[in-house]
Amino acid sequence: LEGNSEVPGWLTALLTEKFFNACIIHEEVKRNEKNVFCLDCCDGICPHCLLRHRSHRLLQIRRYVYHNVIKLVDAERLMDCAQVQTYTSNFAKVVFLNKRHHTRLGKAASGKYCINCDRNVQDSNLFCCISCKLQTIIRTGKKVSNYLRKCDFLALSEPGLEDGQMTPDSVLEPAGSMRTESGSSGGGGAAGYSECRALATTATTEAVRKKRSSSKTGHRSACRPVSGIYNSETTLNRRKGTPQRSPLL
């Protein structure tokens, strides 16, 4: 992508930036990971840099299955994301910025794959990430500008900046499915959430019960038998006999 005059500088920087590394400016400060991208400066910044970029266009970067993703609603304000595979986590649809390395085991006749890197995608999609779509546009001789959108304002979606970590989930999002907050599929809504909380409470109670049981068993085994205690007390309280003195010479 670098050196291509049709690709804007902010897009090249977004796809090549190393996010979630320590910020050089705030190297000695905690929570200094670069999880925000400034489109006006074409650079990744950390939460401590936000004050200097408060009037710039800012894009929140998140981690999903150890790779960089952005929310679909944010990505669509910058470019056309049609036919790019989406994933769901914490009720938010996300797209990968770059392709992920994988072992190619051969294509199945009934499978659908990314036309750029052969990764599995859903039937309605052609690309696994934004980078693969951009590379395909350039390779086929189409104009990149036709797929970009003008965005004069882009702010962080959350008032409190989160750390960007998302629930790991490598399963493709089924069509028409709903996912719970943890990222797993489920059609029960609130009922499914209540069931999960009940299972978690039961498991916790059982674990505490086992811990207490093992703790009591350990204390009993460490103590002496009751009979031994009584025998020792009887021995200690037994009156001594008359001492035997040696005869006088």
Side-chain angles (χ1 to χ4, degrees), residues 10-206:
W10 66 263
L11 183 54
T12 301
L14 175 64
L15 298 178
T16 56
E17 177 67 54
K18 301 296 182 182
F19 292 104
F20 295 94
N21 291 337
C23 177
I24 299 178
I25 301 176
H26 302 94
E27 190 172 2
E28 304 298 330
V29 185
K30 294 182 179 180
R31 298 180 64 86
N32 61 350
E33 291 184 338
K34 296 188 295 182
N35 58 357
V36 176
F37 181 76
C38 179
L39 277 75
D40 296 320
C41 298
C42 299
D43 193 14
I45 61 177
C46 76
H48 305 286
C49 300
L50 292 178
L51 185 60
R52 298 187 296 108
H53 299 264
R54 60 182 179 272
S55 60
H56 296 175
R57 294 172 296 170
L58 302 177
L59 178 64
Q60 176 75 60
I61 309 298
R62 294 169 171 80
R63 293 288 280 177
Y64 185 75
V65 200
Y66 308 106
H67 288 77
N68 301 327
V69 298
I70 58 177
K71 279 188 175 182
L72 180 62
V73 292
D74 294 335
E76 288 181 335
R77 297 184 62 181
L78 301 173
M79 65 196 76
D80 180 11
C81 297
Q83 298 179 316
V84 177
Q85 177 65 52
T86 61
Y87 296 80
T88 302
S89 183
N90 298 334
F91 297 106
K93 290 184 179 297
V94 297
V95 290
F96 282 91
L97 291 179
N98 296 287
K99 63 181 181 181
R100 294 162 287 165
H101 297 287
H102 66 101
T103 304
R104 301 184 183 183
L105 301 178
K107 294 184 178 181
S110 58
K112 188 68 179 294
Y113 299 87
C114 173
I115 61 178
N116 186 68
C117 69
D118 296 337
R119 175 171 284 277
N120 292 71
V121 295
Q122 288 182 346
D123 293 338
S124 59
N125 298 314
L126 297 176
F127 314 99
C128 68
C129 62
I130 293 177
S131 178
C132 283
K133 181 171 184 176
L134 182 60
Q135 292 178 8
T136 303
I137 292 173
I138 296 174
R139 186 176 66 250
T140 55
K142 299 179 181 178
K143 290 185 177 181
V144 178
S145 58
N146 294 337
Y147 296 87
L148 301 179
R149 294 170 178 171
K150 185 178 181 181
C151 180
D152 296 327
F153 176 80
L154 184 64
L156 299 180
S157 56
E158 296 85 2
L161 186 64
E162 59 187 47
D163 58 3
Q165 300 294 335
M166 301 193 74
T167 305
D169 188 356
S170 58
V171 182
L172 293 180
E173 175 195 357
S177 69
M178 294 183 63
R179 289 178 176 265
T180 61
E181 187 173 358
S182 61
S184 58
S185 299
Y193 178 69
S194 301
E195 183 179 356
C196 291
R197 291 192 62 181
L199 292 175
T201 304
T202 304
T204 303
T205 305
E206 186 66 22

